[in-house]
Amino acid sequence: MNKENDDELALFSALTKGIKPLKQDKRHFAAPQKPKRELEIATTQLHADSYFSDTYQPLLPLEGAMRWSRDDVDSHELKRLRRGDYQPDLLLDLHGMRQTEAKLELAALIQACVKQHSHCCCVMHGHGTGILKQNLPMWLAQHPQVKAFHKAPKEWGGDAALLVLIDVGELPSWD
């Protein structure tokens, strides 16, 4: 019986010589981790959807330059925006974008301003059909981080752009 097992083992070894074993597939049934970029996009989408409504109508001027400020903001801030005292740190060009894309980009811009402690940014909407030019002030007036906005001076786009003043919060004091 022992000799028979040895013969079978030798035969089996001869038949399987040169065969590579199969690699075992490893299956992990836990939800895969989303990349950081996907999470940022999802967060931006959530912010854009929760802040910007197309039906909200803030009290905006019917005549003169497009301008708006929150009630708690000093009226001199609008004047400083108009004169160009604030230099925008970040620029956003919305030319050629659809409304949904523009909302997402605007939410991302405001988030980036807060993250980088940039008090002023410039949003260029262009002339075009006027859809973005009409909706942009309504969207900005709804966002809680926006303190004020004014039509940009000539060097930053004039009628085709808005300078936006962002509330970045209090800077930490180093006592």
Side-chain angles (χ1 to χ4, degrees):
M1 188 108 170
N2 214 0
K3 180 159 171 76
E4 197 174 295
N5 283 341
D6 289 341
D7 288 340
E8 287 178 8
L9 187 60
L11 179 63
F12 180 76
S13 295
L15 290 174
T16 58
K17 187 176 183 180
I19 295 177
K20 295 180 184 176
L22 294 174
K23 288 192 176 195
Q24 178 66 39
D25 288 339
K26 294 179 182 174
R27 292 195 174 251
H28 298 283
F29 294 103
Q33 289 273 340
K34 288 187 178 179
K36 188 175 181 180
R37 180 73 182 139
E38 279 185 38
L39 290 174
E40 287 177 1
I41 290 172
T43 304
T44 304
Q45 174 83 41
L46 177 67
H47 286 295
D49 290 342
S50 61
Y51 288 133
F52 305 133
S53 167
D54 291 327
T55 58
Y56 176 72
Q57 293 290 323
L59 185 59
L60 296 172
L62 299 174
E63 297 175 357
M66 180 53 65
R67 64 200 175 280
W68 175 87
S69 68
R70 283 191 327 215
D71 294 335
D72 63 332
V73 176
D74 187 15
S75 61
H76 294 293
E77 296 296 333
L78 272 177
K79 189 174 184 178
R80 293 179 69 197
L81 274 173
R82 179 181 52 84
R83 288 189 309 206
D85 290 351
Y86 288 105
Q87 297 294 314
D89 297 321
L90 298 173
L91 303 171
L92 175 63
D93 189 357
L94 298 176
H95 286 94
M97 289 189 189
R98 295 185 176 98
Q99 288 185 48
T100 53
E101 295 168 335
K103 280 183 192 179
L104 289 175
E105 290 297 321
L106 187 61
L109 173 73
I110 295 170
Q111 236 177 353
C113 284
V114 171
K115 195 174 189 178
Q116 298 177 13
H117 295 285
S118 299
H119 291 281
C120 186
C121 63
C122 181
V123 182
M124 294 172 274
H125 49 73
H127 294 288
T129 59
I131 299 295
L132 291 179
K133 184 176 185 172
Q134 181 182 16
N135 286 329
L136 188 62
M138 292 188 305
W139 296 336
L140 287 170
Q142 295 174 51
H143 201 286
Q145 301 297 133
V146 175
K147 292 170 72 173
F149 59 83
H150 198 287
K151 180 189 89 166
K154 283 274 192 218
E155 63 266 18
W156 294 107
D159 287 334
L162 290 174
L163 282 184
V164 183
L165 196 60
I166 304 292
D167 184 7
V168 295
E170 296 297 319
L171 293 175
S173 61
W174 303 100
D175 293 337

